[in-house]
């Protein structure tokens, strides 16, 4: 039973910072890509950032230069450091991970979501 638990969301003023964490637990053989998505009210869910097991990263254009994704492989944890937050960053943030639970089976898992609210 693999579980992703998110933390770090909350209320912050525009220009401030937050760090989101997502820890994977359970029977884990390996983790390939880990990602952060977000969904704002009335909007489609969008990919924010992704990081491979080797540390290669990708970001959506709107967060480049402001957000940093990282991971601690020993702790099976992915982070999203969010700096210079804007009101348009307000959304529910979800972590996602491509997790192999055995040598022959793997699939995507999702966290429960954590609310990030940026006030003006």
């Amino acid at each position: 039973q693999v579980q992703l638990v998110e933390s770090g969301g909350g209320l912050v003023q525009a220009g401030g910072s937050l760090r989101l964490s997502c820890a994977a637990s359970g029977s884990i053989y390996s983790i390939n890509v880990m990602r952060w998505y977000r969904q704002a009210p009335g909007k489609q869910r969008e990919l924010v950032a992704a990081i491979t097991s080797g540390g290669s990263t990708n970001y959506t254009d709107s967060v480049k230069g402001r957000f940093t994704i990282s991971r601690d492989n020993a702790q099976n944890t992915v982070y999203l450091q969010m700096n210079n937050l804007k009101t348009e960053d307000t959304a529910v943030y979800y972590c996602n991970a491509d997790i192999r639970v055995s040598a022959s089976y793997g699939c995507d898992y999702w966290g429960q979501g954590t609310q990030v609210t940026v006030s003006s």
Side-chain angles (χ1 to χ4, degrees):
Q1 188 86 333
V2 173
Q3 186 174 228
L4 301 181
V5 178
E6 303 176 16
S7 62
L11 175 65
V12 66
Q13 290 186 332
S17 298
L18 286 173
R19 189 178 76 156
L20 306 183
S21 300
C22 177
S25 62
S27 182
I28 298 172
Y29 182 80
S30 64
I31 303 177
N32 187 16
V33 181
M34 303 185 83
R35 305 175 180 90
W36 286 98
Y37 288 80
R38 67 185 180 188
Q39 188 164 23
K43 303 290 186 179
Q44 295 183 181
R45 186 173 298 187
E46 67 170 339
L47 177 65
V48 177
I51 184 167
T52 69
S53 60
S56 297
T57 60
N58 280 300
Y59 301 91
T60 191
D61 287 343
S62 64
V63 308
K64 286 181 179 177
R66 300 188 298 119
F67 290 11
T68 302
I69 189 171
S70 62
R71 63 192 285 171
D72 183 342
N73 291 331
Q75 298 294 320
N76 290 327
T77 300
V78 62
Y79 304 94
L80 186 67
Q81 178 66 47
M82 304 184 291
N83 297 327
N84 191 24
L85 283 160
K86 304 176 179 180
T87 56
E88 50 262 46
D89 295 318
T90 295
V92 177
Y93 284 71
Y94 299 89
C95 66
N96 164 269
D98 175 16
I99 299 176
R100 189 167 295 279
V101 298
S102 72
S104 59
Y105 182 77
C107 64
D108 280 354
Y109 292 85
W110 291 86
Q112 80 282 1
T114 185
Q115 177 70 48
V116 172
T117 302
V118 184
S119 63
S120 61

